[in-house]
Amino acid sequence: YPNEHLKTLLMEADFFKKDEIELTKRNIAFKFERWEVKKKGKKRLFVSYFKNKEGKVIAEERLFFEGKKLIRYELDQLQVNEHAHFVLKENGYLEMQYRKGKEGEHSKLKWEENFILPPMILDYVKENYSEFNKGPKEVELVVPHLQKNISFTFFLKEKKESKCFKDAFLCILFKPSNFFIGLFTESLHLSFDKR
């Protein structure tokens, strides 16, 4: 990106394989970085990189905001040659294009207040974690390659649970709300430190 010096690293994370018992640096499946790129006025750009063990970028997501309002989402899954380009129109519809190789799909979805895209998960936790003490919170996650929304629920978990890091400041379970969808979709355990 131009003006590389205007980028600020906001978050780093490590991802591990399902059911990994030893959560150490040598067992990391891939790494994640989230950057904010300074833009003019109220516009903001957030770029997320997913890197393999060798440090090569295998996927990149870009979220464009004007103030706190989502404007556009882009995804490049370089390892499988899949690309997404979503735009939130003034009429409240998210217009979606998803391309696998040379074949593309188009659709639209009415964007609601509790809708989020995958790179918005971490911000949602950050902005709402004090609410998790009051009980689970449900959101509609727009899954880019499906171009559909699926209900997911955030639950606050005990830090001593085996799938949470021992020294985590906060541990959240993010799982499908629907029992049947849960049979086919993995839940995520998100462990956060104090930074």
Short mmCIF file of all heavy atoms in Angstrom, two decimals, residues 6-35:
data_model
loop_
_atom_site.label_atom_id
_atom_site.label_comp_id
_atom_site.label_asym_id
_atom_site.label_seq_id
_atom_site.Cartn_x
_atom_site.Cartn_y
_atom_site.Cartn_z
N LEU A 6 2.14 5.19 7.22
CA LEU A 6 0.89 5.60 7.87
C LEU A 6 0.09 4.40 8.36
O LEU A 6 -1.06 4.53 8.75
CB LEU A 6 0.05 6.44 6.90
CG LEU A 6 0.69 7.76 6.46
CD1 LEU A 6 -0.20 8.47 5.45
CD2 LEU A 6 0.95 8.66 7.65
N LYS A 7 0.69 3.20 8.34
CA LYS A 7 0.02 2.00 8.83
C LYS A 7 0.33 1.80 10.30
O LYS A 7 1.45 2.02 10.74
CB LYS A 7 0.50 0.77 8.05
CG LYS A 7 -0.06 0.67 6.66
CD LYS A 7 0.56 -0.44 5.86
CE LYS A 7 0.38 -1.80 6.44
NZ LYS A 7 0.84 -2.87 5.55
N THR A 8 -0.68 1.38 11.05
CA THR A 8 -0.52 1.09 12.47
C THR A 8 -0.96 -0.34 12.74
O THR A 8 -2.09 -0.72 12.39
CB THR A 8 -1.39 2.05 13.32
OG1 THR A 8 -1.06 3.40 12.99
CG2 THR A 8 -1.18 1.81 14.80
N LEU A 9 -0.08 -1.12 13.37
CA LEU A 9 -0.43 -2.49 13.74
C LEU A 9 -1.38 -2.46 14.93
O LEU A 9 -1.06 -1.90 15.97
CB LEU A 9 0.82 -3.30 14.08
CG LEU A 9 0.59 -4.75 14.47
CD1 LEU A 9 0.00 -5.55 13.31
CD2 LEU A 9 1.90 -5.39 14.92
N LEU A 10 -2.58 -3.03 14.76
CA LEU A 10 -3.59 -3.01 15.81
C LEU A 10 -3.66 -4.32 16.59
O LEU A 10 -3.99 -4.34 17.77
CB LEU A 10 -4.97 -2.74 15.22
CG LEU A 10 -5.16 -1.42 14.50
CD1 LEU A 10 -6.55 -1.35 13.89
CD2 LEU A 10 -4.93 -0.26 15.44
N MET A 11 -3.39 -5.44 15.90
CA MET A 11 -3.58 -6.72 16.55
C MET A 11 -2.75 -7.80 15.86
O MET A 11 -2.57 -7.77 14.65
CB MET A 11 -5.06 -7.11 16.49
CG MET A 11 -5.40 -8.40 17.17
SD MET A 11 -7.16 -8.76 17.09
CE MET A 11 -7.83 -7.41 18.06
N GLU A 12 -2.28 -8.74 16.67
CA GLU A 12 -1.62 -9.94 16.16
C GLU A 12 -2.26 -11.13 16.85
O GLU A 12 -2.68 -11.03 18.00
CB GLU A 12 -0.13 -9.92 16.46
CG GLU A 12 0.63 -8.83 15.74
CD GLU A 12 2.10 -8.85 16.09
OE1 GLU A 12 2.44 -8.43 17.21
OE2 GLU A 12 2.89 -9.31 15.25
N ALA A 13 -2.32 -12.25 16.15
CA ALA A 13 -2.90 -13.46 16.74
C ALA A 13 -2.25 -14.68 16.12
O ALA A 13 -1.71 -14.63 15.01
CB ALA A 13 -4.41 -13.49 16.50
N ASP A 14 -2.32 -15.78 16.85
CA ASP A 14 -1.86 -17.06 16.36
C ASP A 14 -3.06 -18.00 16.30
O ASP A 14 -3.91 -18.00 17.19
CB ASP A 14 -0.81 -17.66 17.31
CG ASP A 14 0.44 -16.79 17.39
OD1 ASP A 14 0.82 -16.19 16.37
OD2 ASP A 14 1.03 -16.72 18.49
N PHE A 15 -3.12 -18.80 15.25
CA PHE A 15 -4.18 -19.79 15.09
C PHE A 15 -3.58 -21.17 15.15
O PHE A 15 -2.50 -21.42 14.61
CB PHE A 15 -4.89 -19.59 13.73
CG PHE A 15 -5.76 -18.38 13.68
CD1 PHE A 15 -5.22 -17.12 13.49
CD2 PHE A 15 -7.13 -18.50 13.82
CE1 PHE A 15 -6.03 -16.00 13.44
CE2 PHE A 15 -7.95 -17.38 13.76
CZ PHE A 15 -7.40 -16.13 13.58
N PHE A 16 -4.30 -22.08 15.82
CA PHE A 16 -3.84 -23.45 16.00
C PHE A 16 -4.84 -24.41 15.39
O PHE A 16 -6.02 -24.09 15.25
CB PHE A 16 -3.68 -23.76 17.50
CG PHE A 16 -2.63 -22.91 18.17
CD1 PHE A 16 -2.97 -21.68 18.73
CD2 PHE A 16 -1.32 -23.32 18.21
CE1 PHE A 16 -2.01 -20.88 19.32
CE2 PHE A 16 -0.35 -22.53 18.81
CZ PHE A 16 -0.69 -21.31 19.37
N LYS A 17 -4.38 -25.61 15.06
CA LYS A 17 -5.26 -26.64 14.52
C LYS A 17 -6.28 -27.05 15.57
O LYS A 17 -6.03 -26.95 16.77
CB LYS A 17 -4.45 -27.86 14.09
CG LYS A 17 -3.59 -27.61 12.89
CD LYS A 17 -2.82 -28.85 12.52
CE LYS A 17 -1.92 -28.57 11.33
NZ LYS A 17 -1.05 -29.70 11.03
N LYS A 18 -7.40 -27.54 15.09
CA LYS A 18 -8.46 -28.03 15.97
C LYS A 18 -7.90 -29.12 16.90
O LYS A 18 -7.13 -29.98 16.47
CB LYS A 18 -9.59 -28.60 15.11
CG LYS A 18 -10.72 -29.16 15.91
CD LYS A 18 -11.74 -29.81 15.01
CE LYS A 18 -12.75 -30.54 15.86
NZ LYS A 18 -13.58 -31.43 15.10
N ASP A 19 -8.29 -29.05 18.15
CA ASP A 19 -7.91 -30.02 19.19
C ASP A 19 -6.42 -30.05 19.48
O ASP A 19 -5.92 -31.02 20.05
CB ASP A 19 -8.40 -31.43 18.83
CG ASP A 19 -9.92 -31.49 18.75
OD1 ASP A 19 -10.58 -30.77 19.53
OD2 ASP A 19 -10.45 -32.24 17.91
N GLU A 20 -5.68 -29.01 19.11
CA GLU A 20 -4.26 -28.93 19.46
C GLU A 20 -4.16 -28.79 20.97
O GLU A 20 -4.83 -27.97 21.58
CB GLU A 20 -3.61 -27.72 18.78
CG GLU A 20 -2.14 -27.55 19.07
CD GLU A 20 -1.30 -28.69 18.50
OE1 GLU A 20 -1.30 -28.88 17.28
OE2 GLU A 20 -0.67 -29.40 19.31
N ILE A 21 -3.35 -29.62 21.59
CA ILE A 21 -3.21 -29.61 23.04
C ILE A 21 -2.10 -28.67 23.48
O ILE A 21 -2.24 -27.92 24.42
CB ILE A 21 -2.93 -31.04 23.57
CG1 ILE A 21 -4.15 -31.92 23.28
CG2 ILE A 21 -2.61 -31.03 25.05
CD1 ILE A 21 -3.94 -33.38 23.53
N GLU A 22 -0.98 -28.70 22.75
CA GLU A 22 0.17 -27.88 23.11
C GLU A 22 0.15 -26.59 22.28
O GLU A 22 0.47 -26.61 21.10
CB GLU A 22 1.45 -28.67 22.86
CG GLU A 22 2.67 -28.02 23.43
CD GLU A 22 3.91 -28.85 23.17
OE1 GLU A 22 3.80 -30.07 22.93
OE2 GLU A 22 5.00 -28.26 23.19
N LEU A 23 -0.24 -25.48 22.89
CA LEU A 23 -0.34 -24.22 22.18
C LEU A 23 0.98 -23.46 22.30
O LEU A 23 1.15 -22.59 23.15
CB LEU A 23 -1.51 -23.39 22.74
CG LEU A 23 -2.87 -24.08 22.70
CD1 LEU A 23 -3.95 -23.18 23.28
CD2 LEU A 23 -3.24 -24.51 21.29
N THR A 24 1.93 -23.84 21.44
CA THR A 24 3.25 -23.21 21.44
C THR A 24 3.55 -22.65 20.06
O THR A 24 2.86 -22.98 19.08
CB THR A 24 4.35 -24.23 21.81
OG1 THR A 24 4.38 -25.25 20.80
CG2 THR A 24 4.10 -24.86 23.18
N LYS A 25 4.60 -21.84 19.98
CA LYS A 25 4.94 -21.21 18.70
C LYS A 25 5.21 -22.22 17.59
O LYS A 25 4.87 -21.98 16.45
CB LYS A 25 6.16 -20.30 18.88
CG LYS A 25 5.85 -19.03 19.66
CD LYS A 25 6.96 -18.02 19.49
CE LYS A 25 6.69 -16.78 20.30
NZ LYS A 25 5.69 -15.92 19.77
N ARG A 26 5.76 -23.36 17.90
CA ARG A 26 6.08 -24.32 16.83
C ARG A 26 4.83 -25.03 16.30
O ARG A 26 4.87 -25.65 15.26
CB ARG A 26 7.15 -25.29 17.27
CG ARG A 26 6.68 -26.31 18.21
CD ARG A 26 7.68 -27.37 18.49
NE ARG A 26 6.85 -28.28 19.23
CZ ARG A 26 7.09 -28.81 20.38
NH1 ARG A 26 8.20 -28.65 20.93
NH2 ARG A 26 6.24 -29.56 21.00
N ASN A 27 3.71 -24.94 17.03
CA ASN A 27 2.46 -25.58 16.59
C ASN A 27 1.48 -24.62 15.93
O ASN A 27 0.34 -24.99 15.66
CB ASN A 27 1.77 -26.25 17.78
CG ASN A 27 2.55 -27.44 18.29
OD1 ASN A 27 3.37 -27.99 17.57
ND2 ASN A 27 2.30 -27.82 19.51
N ILE A 28 1.89 -23.40 15.68
CA ILE A 28 1.01 -22.41 15.07
C ILE A 28 0.66 -22.83 13.64
O ILE A 28 1.55 -23.18 12.86
CB ILE A 28 1.69 -21.01 15.07
CG1 ILE A 28 1.85 -20.52 16.50
CG2 ILE A 28 0.90 -20.02 14.21
CD1 ILE A 28 2.71 -19.26 16.63
N ALA A 29 -0.63 -22.84 13.31
CA ALA A 29 -1.07 -23.19 11.95
C ALA A 29 -0.88 -22.00 11.01
O ALA A 29 -0.41 -22.15 9.89
CB ALA A 29 -2.51 -23.64 11.96
N PHE A 30 -1.29 -20.81 11.47
CA PHE A 30 -1.00 -19.60 10.73
C PHE A 30 -1.10 -18.39 11.65
O PHE A 30 -1.63 -18.47 12.74
CB PHE A 30 -1.87 -19.44 9.47
CG PHE A 30 -3.34 -19.37 9.71
CD1 PHE A 30 -3.97 -18.15 9.88
CD2 PHE A 30 -4.13 -20.51 9.70
CE1 PHE A 30 -5.34 -18.07 10.08
CE2 PHE A 30 -5.50 -20.44 9.90
CZ PHE A 30 -6.09 -19.23 10.09
N LYS A 31 -0.53 -17.29 11.18
CA LYS A 31 -0.48 -16.04 11.95
C LYS A 31 -1.43 -15.02 11.33
O LYS A 31 -1.70 -15.07 10.14
CB LYS A 31 0.93 -15.48 11.99
CG LYS A 31 1.93 -16.35 12.73
CD LYS A 31 3.26 -15.66 12.78
CE LYS A 31 3.90 -15.63 14.13
NZ LYS A 31 3.18 -15.45 15.30
N PHE A 32 -1.85 -14.10 12.15
CA PHE A 32 -2.80 -13.07 11.74
C PHE A 32 -2.25 -11.71 12.18
O PHE A 32 -1.71 -11.57 13.27
CB PHE A 32 -4.14 -13.33 12.45
CG PHE A 32 -5.13 -12.21 12.37
CD1 PHE A 32 -5.94 -12.06 11.27
CD2 PHE A 32 -5.25 -11.30 13.41
CE1 PHE A 32 -6.87 -11.03 11.19
CE2 PHE A 32 -6.17 -10.27 13.35
CZ PHE A 32 -6.98 -10.14 12.24
N GLU A 33 -2.39 -10.72 11.30
CA GLU A 33 -2.05 -9.32 11.63
C GLU A 33 -3.17 -8.43 11.15
O GLU A 33 -3.71 -8.64 10.06
CB GLU A 33 -0.77 -8.88 10.92
CG GLU A 33 0.48 -9.58 11.33
CD GLU A 33 1.67 -9.13 10.50
OE1 GLU A 33 1.53 -8.26 9.60
OE2 GLU A 33 2.76 -9.67 10.74
N ARG A 34 -3.51 -7.43 11.96
CA ARG A 34 -4.52 -6.45 11.54
C ARG A 34 -3.91 -5.06 11.63
O ARG A 34 -3.37 -4.68 12.66
CB ARG A 34 -5.75 -6.53 12.42
CG ARG A 34 -6.83 -5.55 11.96
CD ARG A 34 -8.18 -6.01 12.38
NE ARG A 34 -9.20 -5.24 11.71
CZ ARG A 34 -10.15 -4.59 12.34
NH1 ARG A 34 -10.24 -4.65 13.64
NH2 ARG A 34 -11.05 -3.91 11.66
N TRP A 35 -4.00 -4.33 10.53
CA TRP A 35 -3.41 -3.00 10.42
C TRP A 35 -4.50 -1.97 10.12
O TRP A 35 -5.47 -2.27 9.43
CB TRP A 35 -2.40 -2.96 9.28
CG TRP A 35 -1.20 -3.82 9.51
CD1 TRP A 35 -1.12 -5.18 9.31
CD2 TRP A 35 0.08 -3.41 9.95
NE1 TRP A 35 0.15 -5.62 9.61
CE2 TRP A 35 0.89 -4.56 10.01
CE3 TRP A 35 0.61 -2.18 10.30
CZ2 TRP A 35 2.23 -4.50 10.41
CZ3 TRP A 35 1.93 -2.12 10.69
CH2 TRP A 35 2.73 -3.27 10.75
#
